[in-house]
C-alpha cells in the first residue's frame, strides 16, 4: 500500500473575540489528526466528526490503495490565534482533550467575567458622570448597537456595554490576573482529561511559535561600515517551543501560560503582561516554576543580559506580526520524512475582508478621493496598518522554496543514472551480490567518499566550504545556547573564534587531491564534526525508500519494516546530538569558554558526540536490514546510501548549506468564512456575530459565542474535507458526490453533538438544518 503524509503547518491569525470561532476550527483539526492516528481502530468506536474523518480516510484507502496520515507538526499563532495554537499543540503532543476548553470559552469568554474586579461597577451610580456617554453610544435610535447588533441580543449587549464603559477611565477594563487565571484553569482542565496517546508518530518533532510585542523594546546591534555599530530598538518577539518526540512534554504549564497571556494582551483592553503578574498568579495558586530563570533567558535574552526581564511590558503579538508565517517557514528545517509528504501551510483568517480594528467612520466615508484626515491618519497608522500587513511576501517565500525543491528534484533525477553507473564501475558487480556487513558497509562508504571528491573536480572546494560553514554555524548556535549571553554581538564573537581556529588548521584550503580525495586533516575534521551530512544521507535514503520499495516491491513486508526501522533508528542516533541537554558538564563548560579556547571546545563536543562510534552503530543497523532484502531490492537502497556524497556535492552549494528534509513543493490553503459555502454563502457577514463591535462582539453575548463556535466547527469540517480530498494521488478518480456525502455527514454529526451543549443556539441549529435541506433540493 502506498503511504503518504499530509502535513499541516498551521498559522492562526489574531481576531479578538473571533478566538471562539477559531477554537471551533482548531477543534476540527484536532479531531482529524486523532482520526488519522486511529485509522486502524474499528469505526464503531469513534463518534462525531472523529468517525466521519476516520471513514473518509479509510474510504480513500479502498479507492486509491493509498493510506494518508494527517499530522499537524508546526503551529504558529498571534493573539487569539496564539492562544488557540497553544492549546491545540498541547492536545496533539500530550494526548489531552480540547473538550474542556470549549466550555471555558463559552462561559469565561464574557466581558463581565473578563473585567478586572476593581473595574466592575459596584453600584448603579458608579461613575454616574459617564452615563451620558453610555446613553450617547448605546441608547438613541440608530445608534451603534442598533446598526450592528441583532435585535434579540441588543438589551444584553447594551447592559454589558454600559458596564464595560463605566468600568474605569484611563486604565484597561479587563483584568490581567483574571485572564491569566482563566488560562491556567483551561490548561489544568485539559491536563485532567487525557484523550489517549499523542497524535504525532514517534520521533516526529512538534514546533509551536507565538508572537509577542515588547512595548518598550530592547536594543539590538546592527553592524555597518560606518559607524561600525549602531543600536536599533526591536519590539518583535517570538516565543517558541519544541518537543522532539512524542514522549517529550511540550513545556512547563507556567511557560505555556506566559506565552498565552502575553500574545493576547490586546492594547487598551488588557494591561501589558509582565513576569511579575505571572509570578503573583502562580504564588497564589501554590504553583512552582522550576525552569523560570532559564526560560526567561531563552525568551528575553537581551533583557536577561541587562537584568531587566521583570520590567518587560509585553503586549499583543498581532500588533506587529498578525500573520506569523515566517516562524512557521523557519521551522521547516530538520523535519523527518518517512514517506511521501504533501506539505500544506494552512492559515486561519476569520475575517479576511475586514480590518481587525476599524477606525470609526472608515466604512461609511463616502468621499474616497480626499484621503484620510489628520486624526484618522495618525490613529490608523497605530492600529489599522500594522495589524493588516499583506502576506504576499510570505507566500512568495514559500513559492521560492517550492521552486527550489522542484529544481533539486530535477537535478537529482537527472544525476541518478550517471551516479549509479559510476558507483557500479567503482565497486564492480560484487557489491550487490555480497551480503553487506557493517565492516563492508564502512569500507564501501569510505571508498565512495573518495571517489566523489575526486570526480567532482573544482566543485569540491565550494562544497567543502559550505560544509565547513555549516559546521561552524551549528557549533556557534549550540555554544551560544549553552551560555548566558545570547546577544548577536556575542554570537558573532563565537563565530569569529571558530573561523580563526579553522584558518589556523588550514581547513579553508579545501582542494581535493588527485588520487586520495580530500586532504587527511579535512577528512578527520568532517568525521568528527559533520553531523549534518550524516542526517542528510539517512533522510535521502528514507526518501528513496518511499519512492521505490514502498511504491512497488517484491520484498516481504517484514523486510520493508526492517529497513524503514533501521533508517530511522540510525537517524535517531545522530539527531539526539542536536539537543542541548545531550551534552555533559565538561562539554558545556568548554563551550562556554569557546572564544578563548575554540580547540578545546570542539574537542569536548566531538568526544561527547563520538560520531565514529555512532557510524559503527548505524552501519550495524543498516547492514542487518539490507541483508533481509532481495538482491534487486537491495540495489536502490545501496545506491542511495553510497551515492549520496555525489548528490550532496551537486546540491548542497545550491541550497546554501541547508539540506532539504521535505523534498516536495509546499501548497497553501486558507480556512475562512469566505471559503465556505456548502451551507450558507456570504462569508463572515452572513455567519459570524463576533465581528460586531469591532470584533469584540462575542465577548458581549453567550449566544454570539455559541453561534461563532458552531460555525467554526462547520467551516473547519468543510475545509478539512476539501484539503483531504485534494491530497489524493493524481490520476486516482473519486466518485461523484463523495465530497457532498462526507460534508453532510460531518455537518449532521456536529449539529447532533452540539445540540445539547449550545442552549442558546436552538434557532440557529434549526435554521442550518433547514438550509441544508434546501441545498439537497
Amino acid at each position: 500500500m502506498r503511504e503518504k503524509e499530509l502535513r499541516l503547518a498551521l498559522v492562526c491569525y489574531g481576531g479578538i473575540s473571533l478566538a471562539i470561532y477559531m477554537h471551533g476550527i482548531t477543534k476540527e483539526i484536532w479531531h482529524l489528526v486523532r482520526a488519522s492516528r486511529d485509522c486502524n481502530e474499528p469505526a464503531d468506536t469513534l463518534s462525531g466528526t472523529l468517525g466521519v474523518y476516520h471513514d473518509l480516510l479509510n474510504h480513500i484507502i479502498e479507492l486509491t490503495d493509498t493510506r494518508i496520515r494527517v499530522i499537524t507538526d508546526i503551529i504558529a499563532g498571534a493573539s487569539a490565534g496564539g492562544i488557540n495554537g497553544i492549546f491545540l499543540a498541547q492536545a496533539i503532543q500530550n494526548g489531552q482533550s480540547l473538550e474542556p476548553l470549549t466550555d471555558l470559552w463559552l462561559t469565561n469568554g464574557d466581558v463581565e467575567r473578563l473585567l478586572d474586579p476593581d473595574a466592575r461597577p459596584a453600584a448603579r451610580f458608579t461613575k454616574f458622570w459617564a452615563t451620558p456617554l453610555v446613553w450617547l453610544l448605546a441608547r438613541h435610535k440608530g445608534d451603534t448597537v442598533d446598526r450592528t447588533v441583532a435585535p434579540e441580543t441588543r438589551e444584553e449587549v447594551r447592559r454589558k456595554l454600559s458596564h464595560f464603559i463605566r468600568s474605569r477611565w484611563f486604565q484597561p477594563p479587563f483584568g490581567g490576573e483574571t485572564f491569566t487565571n482563566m488560562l491556567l484553569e483551561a490548561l489544568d482542565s485539559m491536563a485532567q482529561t487525557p484523550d489517549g496517546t499523542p497524535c504525532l508518530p514517534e520521533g516526529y518533532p512538534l514546533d509551536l511559535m507565538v508572537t509577542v510585542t515588547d512595548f518598550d523594546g530592547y536594543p539590538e546591534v546592527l553592524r555597518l561600515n560606518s559607524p561600525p555599530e549602531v543600536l536599533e530598538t526591536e519590539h518583535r518577539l517570538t516565543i517558541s517551543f519544541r518537543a522532539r518526540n512524542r514522549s517529550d512534554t511540550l513545556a512547563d504549564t507556567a511557560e505555556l501560560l506566559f506565552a498565552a497571556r502575553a500574545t493576547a494582551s490586546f492594547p487598551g483592553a488588557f494591561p501589558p503582561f509582565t513576569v511579575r503578574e505571572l509570578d503573583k498568579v502562580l504564588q497564589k495558586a501554590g504553583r512552582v516554576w522550576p525552569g523560570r530563570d532559564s526560560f526567561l533567558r531563552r525568551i528575553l535574552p537581551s533583557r536577561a543580559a541587562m537584568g531587566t526581564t521583570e520590567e518587560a511590558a509585553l503586549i499583543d503579538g498581532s500588533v506587529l506580526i498578525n500573520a506569523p508565517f515566517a516562524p512557521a517557514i523557519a521551522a521547516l528545517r530538520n523535519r523527518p520524512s518517512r514517506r511521501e509528504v504533501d506539505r500544506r501551510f494552512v492559515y486561519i483568517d476569520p475575517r479576511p475582508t475586514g480590518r481587525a480594528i476599524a477606525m470609526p467612520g472608515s466604512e461609511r466615508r463616502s468621499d474616497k478621493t480626499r484621503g484620510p484626515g489628520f486624526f484618522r491618519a495618525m490613529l490608523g497608522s497605530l492600529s489599522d496598518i500594522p495589524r493588516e500587513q499583506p502576506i504576499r511576501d510570505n507566500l512568495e517565500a514559500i513559492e521560492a522554496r517550492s521552486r527550489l525543491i522542484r529544481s533539486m528534484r530535477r537535478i537529482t533525477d537527472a544525476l541518478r543514472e550517471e551516479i549509479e553507473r559510476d558507483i557500479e564501475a567503482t565497486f564492480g558487480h560484487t557489491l550487490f551480490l555480497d551480503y553487506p556487513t557493517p565492516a563492508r558497509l564502512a569500507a564501501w562508504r569510505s571508498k565512495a567518499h573518495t571517489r566523489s571528491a575526486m570526480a567532482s573536480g573544482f566543485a569540491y572546494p565550494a562544497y567543502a566550504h559550505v560544509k565547513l560553514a555549516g559546521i561552524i554555524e551549528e557549533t556557534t548556535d549550540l555554544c551560544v545556547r549553552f551560555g548566558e549571553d545570547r546577544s548577536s554581538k556575542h554570537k558573532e564573537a563565537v563565530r569569529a573564534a571558530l573561523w580563526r581556529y579553522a584558518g589556523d588548521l588550514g581547513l579553508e584550503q579545501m582542494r581535493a587531491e588527485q588520487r586520495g580525495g580530500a586532504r587527511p586533516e579535512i577528512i578527520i575534521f568532517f568525521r568528527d564534526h559533520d553531523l549534518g551530512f550524516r542526517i542528510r544521507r539517512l533522510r535521502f535514503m528514507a526518501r528513496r525508500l518511499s519512492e521505490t520499495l514502498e511504491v512497488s516491491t517484491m520484498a516481504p513486508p517484514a523486510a520493508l519494516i526492517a529497513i524503514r526501522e533501521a533508517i530511522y533508528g540510525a537517524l535517531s542516533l545522530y539527531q539526539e546530538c542536536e539537543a542541548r541537554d545531550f551534552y555533559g558538564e565538561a562539554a558545556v563548560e568548554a563551550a562556554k569558554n569557546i572564544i578563548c579556547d575554540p580547540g578545546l571546545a570542539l574537542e569536548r563536543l566531538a568526544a561527547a558526540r563520538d560520531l565514529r562510534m555512532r557510524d559503527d552503530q548505524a552501519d550495524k543497523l543498516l547492514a542487518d536490514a539490507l541483508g533481509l532484502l532481495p538482491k534487486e531490492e537491495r540495489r536502490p537502497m545501496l545506491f542511495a546510501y553510497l551515492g549520496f556524497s555525489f548528490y550532496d556535492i551537486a546540491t548542497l552549494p545550491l541550497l546554501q548549506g541547508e539540506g532539504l528534509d521535505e523534498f516536495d513543493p509546499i501548497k497553501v490553503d486558507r480556512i475562512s468564512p469566505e471559503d465556505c459555502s456548502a451551507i450558507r454563502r456570504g462569508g463572515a457577514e452572513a455567519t459570524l456575530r463576533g465581528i460586531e463591535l469591532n470584533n469584540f462582539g462575542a465577548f458581549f453575548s453567550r449566544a454570539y459565542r455559541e453561534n461563532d463556535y458552531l460555525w467554526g466547527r462547520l467551516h473547519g469540517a468543510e475545509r478539512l474535507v476539501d484539503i483531504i480530498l485534494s491530497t489524493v494521488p493524481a490520476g486516482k478518480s473519486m466518485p461523484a458526490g463523495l465530497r457532498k456525502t462526507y460534508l453532510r455527514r460531518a455537518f449532521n454529526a456536529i449539529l447532533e453533538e452540539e445540540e445539547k451543549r449550545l442552549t442558546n443556539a436552538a434557532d440557529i441549529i434549526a435554521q442550518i438544518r433547514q438550509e441544508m435541506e434546501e441545498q439537497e433540493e
Side-chain angles (χ1 to χ4, degrees), residues 217-425:
Y218 52 93
E220 281 288 326
V221 176
L222 298 180
R223 300 190 179 278
L224 308 177
N225 177 57
S226 175
E229 292 183 356
V230 296
L231 288 179
E232 181 182 58
T233 302
E234 177 62 79
H235 296 269
R236 295 169 297 178
L237 288 175
T238 299
I239 301 176
S240 58
F241 304 95
R242 173 173 249 223
R244 293 187 175 273
N245 55 65
R246 67 191 300 176
S247 60
D248 288 350
T249 299
L250 185 61
D252 185 86
T253 299
E255 295 167 9
L256 296 177
L257 194 58
F258 181 109
R261 170 66 178 90
T263 191
S265 184
F266 192 85
F270 291 98
F273 171 72
T274 63
V275 178
R276 292 191 184 93
E277 177 190 298
L278 180 56
D279 288 340
K280 188 175 180 181
V281 168
L282 294 175
Q283 184 179 11
K284 287 182 179 178
R287 307 285 281 264
V288 295
W289 184 4
R292 177 185 183 277
D293 293 341
S294 61
F295 174 78
L296 294 178
R297 284 194 299 269
R298 179 172 73 86
I299 299 303
L300 303 168
S302 297
R303 286 190 171 277
M306 298 183 295
T308 61
T309 54
E310 295 188 350
E311 281 70 45
L314 305 181
I315 62 175
D316 198 289
S318 67
V319 170
L320 295 177
I321 308 176
N322 192 46
F325 275 86
I329 294 171
L332 285 173
R333 294 191 62 187
N334 301 326
R335 319 304 299 182
S337 177
R338 298 187 180 183
R339 51 187 66 85
E340 180 185 357
V341 172
D342 185 349
R343 165 62 74 185
R344 305 294 182 93
F345 266 67
V346 178
Y347 70 98
I348 302 176
D349 187 355
R351 198 182 183 189
T353 59
R355 291 186 176 91
I357 290 293
M359 294 303 299
S362 58
E363 291 84 3
R364 301 191 300 274
R365 190 163 53 87
S366 58
D367 187 357
K368 302 293 183 180
T369 62
R370 294 181 55 189
F374 171 75
F375 285 105
R376 185 171 182 273
M378 179 181 66
L379 296 175
S381 67
L382 300 176
S383 58
D384 293 358
I385 296 174
R387 298 175 56 80
E388 300 299 334
Q389 299 174 47
I391 62 170
R392 182 183 298 111
D393 292 346
N394 303 120
L395 297 184
E396 288 177 351
I398 291 173
E399 177 54 29
R401 183 184 177 91
S402 296
R403 284 197 304 271
L404 184 61
I405 289 172
R406 286 190 287 266
S407 296
M408 292 304 100
R409 294 183 71 166
R410 284 193 291 268
I411 290 171
T412 54
D413 289 344
L415 292 175
R416 181 176 301 171
E417 183 178 348
E418 184 177 349
I419 289 174
E420 292 181 355
R421 190 165 52 242
D422 199 325
I423 293 173
E424 207 160 25

Side-chain angles (χ1 to χ4, degrees), residues 206-226:
L206 174 65
D207 283 281
L208 167 67
M209 295 79 61
V210 297
T211 61
V212 174
T213 304
D214 187 326
F215 183 80
D216 296 311
Y218 52 93
E220 281 288 326
V221 176
L222 298 180
R223 300 190 179 278
L224 308 177
N225 177 57
S226 175

